């Protein structure tokens, strides 16, 4: 198994289509004739201006409510549109050089999924959700069905799959399914949704190309909030081990979590979170709205996801000064990432570590950058290998230095000279 070459340059802009186009929640159930799925195409130029190379879609298949209660994996959700709308989206993405990642929910199905053969199902619900019935992954017919669904939509123009709740599915199921799909679509990419556990073992046993890096996501915001970079350093040590074997999907926001601007206690640290994501190994994903400074808190209740899955109108959205600054920062750091594609496989080495200061070298082969973060109320002064400052908070690029000063709650990126 080898990861497709195009993934080395992948940067995803992730959207949750049902919320993005106002199809769920909605006072009136939209009809297929409204062709709402096509509305996301209006935002493709925005994604390109951001620096993304692909669109990661949330669920688009027929379901009763939020998309994760699938009714028919072969049918576009009528609230979004129909097959022609999917083809239009793929063609428009292709015309702009954008890849398309689909969201596959193959651990469980919704209450309206056909129940013609009870051997396809287990006698329990998924994580206590009464409307979600777990599939029987020991049934060869289920494996064949999932493989055929995945191959069908790849044949229709998708480039890969995010596999929802992959952590809940036996790895042997994925090990059976994914090779069948790869035989027909060798250039496809598969990322499993994992939260806890042994990521590397799951990749080895299940055969994924990548997994969602929740460990790093948590360490980034938690270390910034708590003033505890030791937590981040520990997570990056583990991340280094992962990067040696696969490129994890990195993120500081997605459709299932509180937005980073609301999660962080100090708004200045949004920049530091993004600097971290864009300078460590992995395949970055930016959740739509985060690049505009959106806020939103996920709550554990019915409708608790709605605040982080809002409807988007037509672009461009009006931005206040803060939103404009967040947008510019995303453009710059993603641009830096694209100019240094080797970062997808980069490892980090700690140069300075204490609770509120973190300086590390990110490197792959002969390529290297130095990143300095300061979340203290006082300036950070530190000695670094001789390097040129190429980016930072509130300062233009500087000459080559070997002593670095970073203002309170500031950051710097340097290129080794």
């Amino acid at each position: 198994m080898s990861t497709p070459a195009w993934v080395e340059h992948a940067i995803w802009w992730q959207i949750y289509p049902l919320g993005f186009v106002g199809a769920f929640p909605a006072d009136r159930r939209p009809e297929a004739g409204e062709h709402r799925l096509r509305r996301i195409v209006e935002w493709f130029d925005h994604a390109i201006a951001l620096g993304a190379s692909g669109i990661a879609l949330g669920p688009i298949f027929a379901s009763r409510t939020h998309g994760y209660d699938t009714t028919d994996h072969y049918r576009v959700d009528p609230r979004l549109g129909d097959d022609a709308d999917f083809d239009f989206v793929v063609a428009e993405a292709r015309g702009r050089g954008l890849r398309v990642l689909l969201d596959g929910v193959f651990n469980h199905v919704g209450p309206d999924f056909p129940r013609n053969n009870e051997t396809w199902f287990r006698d329990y619900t998924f994580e206590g959700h009464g409307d979600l019935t777990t599939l029987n992954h020991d049934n060869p017919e289920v494996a064949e069905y999932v493989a055929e669904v995945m191959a069908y939509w790849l044949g229709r123009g998708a480039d890969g799959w995010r596999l929802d709740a992959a952590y809940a599915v036996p790895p042997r199921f994925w090990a059976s399914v994914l090779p069948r799909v790869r035989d027909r679509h060798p250039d496809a990419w598969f990322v499993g949704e994992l939260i806890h556990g042994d990521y590397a073992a799951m990749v080895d046993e299940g055969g994924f190309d990548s997994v969602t890096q929740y460990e790093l996501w948590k360490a980034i915001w938690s270390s910034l909030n708590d003033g505890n970079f030791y937590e981040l350093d520990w997570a990056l040590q583990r991340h280094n081990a992962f990067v040696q074997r696969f490129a994890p999907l990195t993120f500081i926001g997605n459709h299932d979590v509180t937005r980073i601007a609301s999660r962080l206690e100090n708004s200045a640290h949004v920049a530091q979170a993004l600097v971290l994501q864009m300078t460590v190994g992995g395949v970055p994903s930016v959740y739509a709205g985060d690049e505009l400074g959106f806020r939103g808190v996920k709550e554990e209740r019915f409708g608790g996801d709605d605040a982080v899955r809002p409807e988007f109108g037509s672009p461009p959205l009006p931005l206040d000064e803060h939103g404009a600054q967040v947008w510019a920062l995303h453009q710059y750091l993603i641009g830096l990432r694209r100019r240094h594609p080797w970062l997808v496989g980069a490892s980090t080495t700690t140069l300075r570590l204490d609770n509120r200061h973190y300086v590390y070298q990110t490197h792959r082969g002969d390529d290297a950058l130095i990143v300095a973060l300061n979340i203290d109320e006082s300036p950070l002064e530190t000695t670094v290998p001789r390097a040129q400052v190429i980016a930072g908070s509130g300062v233009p690029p500087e000459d080559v230095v070997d002593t670095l000063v970073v203002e309170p709650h500031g950051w710097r990126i340097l290129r080794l000279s």
Side-chain angles (χ1 to χ4, degrees), residues 284-300:
S285 177
V286 176
Y287 183 49
D290 283 357
E291 78 279 14
L292 302 173
F294 279 23
R295 302 180 67 86
V297 176
K298 175 185 170 70
E299 299 178 2
E300 298 300 327

Side-chain angles (χ1 to χ4, degrees), residues 261-285:
S262 295
R263 175 72 75 175
L264 291 174
E265 296 168 4
N266 186 330
S267 61
H269 295 165
V270 171
Q272 305 213 11
L274 186 64
V275 167
L276 280 159
Q277 183 193 10
M278 292 300 161
T279 59
V280 301
V283 177
S285 177

